[in-house]
Amino acid sequence: GLTLIFGLLRLLNMAQGGFFMIGAYTAYSVMGRDVQSLGLFLFAALVGGVVVALLGLVTDRLVLRRLRNVDPHYVLIATFALMMVCTGVTKLIWGVDFFSVLPPPVLDQPMNPFGLFFSAYQLFVIGAGIVAFLLLELAIHRLWFGKLMQALAADPWMAGVLGINVSFGIAASVMLSFFLAGIAGGLLLPNQSLSTGLGDSYLLFAFFAVIIGGLGNIRGAFIGSLVLGLVQSLNTVLLPSVPGLAVYVVLAAFLLWKPNGLFPSVGTHDESGEAHSAGVSRRSRIPRSTWQVIGAATVILLATLPLWINAGPLYVVGTVLIQVVFALSWNMLFGYTGLVSFGHAAFYAIGAYLAALALKNIEGVPFLGVLAGAALFGAVAAWVVGVLALRRMTGVFLAVLTVALAEALRLVIGFSSWPGREDGITDTPRPMLHFGLFAIDIGSSEAYYWFLLAATVLITAFMWWLLHSRFGRTLQTIRQDPERAAFMGTNVAGYRLSAFVISGAVAAVAGAMYAPWARIVTVEEVHWLASAQPMLNTLLGGVSSFWGPVVGAGLFAAIAYSTRTLIGLSELIVGSGLLVIILLAPNGAVGMWRQFEERLWGRRAGALPDGHDAAAPLRRLKEGAAQ
């Protein structure tokens, strides 16, 4: 199902796992816990598929249709927000309890052919997968419907000129993709516990299978799924101490060896997923001196918080300060360089675990030295990944590689004793600051909060200086048009690697500051969903502005904190809010403010209009030459 929407139509649907989960819950509502007949089991799975297909049609009309001509990374963020909406709706309707479902009696029995043990239900699932593959293979490569989808993937505009109903074809493809997700949720329901986190792991493996097989290639997705399954099975036999690790290692090695997949991709779209210009960042009409006064007043206000608020809100504000640093590090890649990392939490976790281990096991360790060590380790890890990957891949493939490496790190940490396994490192002591002969105790929450505030201000000032220097302006030219930048003599690969290294170092410092603040570090800090936090903060505030991640982190925390007691409503409100911002104000809160200024005072003289693309003349020239 993901192959149809991701491979053929180039829609990076992160919500596919959420709709898989809704299909499973719908089937559960029809069949109950103890399904007594195979017919009822199949009917319930079919109902799950139909319900999700109808939801897919609504999603296409309200969301996906509006995102077809924008940067694919915005599509990714929007569908991630849609996944949060799915989770919130699921919690509201079915609750947060775990459920288990037994297969129908005819499938709930062992089979013993040739002296080998098999589960009848597992053989049934394998057969269903083969049937689905054969039907899709026939439909895509032999029937008119498949030819239509391939034409839409290759050139939607030309398909419309030739009389093909493009809107209907895309809607039908989306509905079929969602139908397959829903029916898969119903058929696989007895294979695992039913919970609101059900779709996450299936979504990752589906992405991996599509990437390995080749975008939009049904045959490749089928073989990619088999490869992942066999690797995972061998992992349980050869490396049982770290189950699941081999899948991410093999995927990373495969991406480095053959990033375009085993089979040719269907269609002729650009598969690199290069980020394009997100619009020109316009300066505010309010004088810079006024903003400086506002900024200084905000810092002073934040500094007074420990004097008049209690520990709960103070902890939230301190966490927001750390998230500001984390989001600024990610935005350096995406907003300024045009690279997207889905595994940025790995660098954050490196710093967090390093700080927690050092503070807990080394008496009197200088905390500033710990922060410097975290920056060094984060930079080295980013350099290794960058050297291996950046010359061969960007866009979607880089995103998948980074999430694979981050998940591999999560598994290693989760099954290793020295970082505390799943329990993590607890009771991390607060540090001392040493300045020569002087030492400052920042063990209390108030003192450490003031340290966090000072560190955030200094790191933000450093990032502002760096990204507004010649280095930062060069990164922006690379994001705008890497080919033009290379033609003008810019070392594109070198600048991208430098940005990747600096970003990893700053993210590791953010993690190192978090460990003493939270006093506990767990594998959740490495989870791929944790990597989405800086993305959401950046998109919420605005990619086109340096201050976007700062504003976004504050807004996101305020929304999350105000809805924290509403089970299901928290994800629903946050996800819906992000969707509205992506659809109506893709430049985020800062972009909305700039538009408000223009309506009040008019456009600045010489300002570029919305949607202006400085690379458009060169692109038109290239297209003319290609024709």
Side-chain angles (χ1 to χ4, degrees), residues 296-321:
T298 303
V299 172
I300 293 173
L301 176 63
L302 291 175
T304 64
L305 290 184
L307 304 177
W308 53 276
I309 66 173
N310 58 34
L314 184 66
Y315 177 80
V316 172
V317 176
T319 305
V320 170
L321 294 175

Side-chain angles (χ1 to χ4, degrees), residues 211-212 253-263 392:
I211 292 294
I212 288 177
F254 186 89
L255 283 172
L256 293 172
W257 168 59
K258 200 174 181 63
N260 290 325
L262 290 172
F263 294 92
R392 294 181 56 81

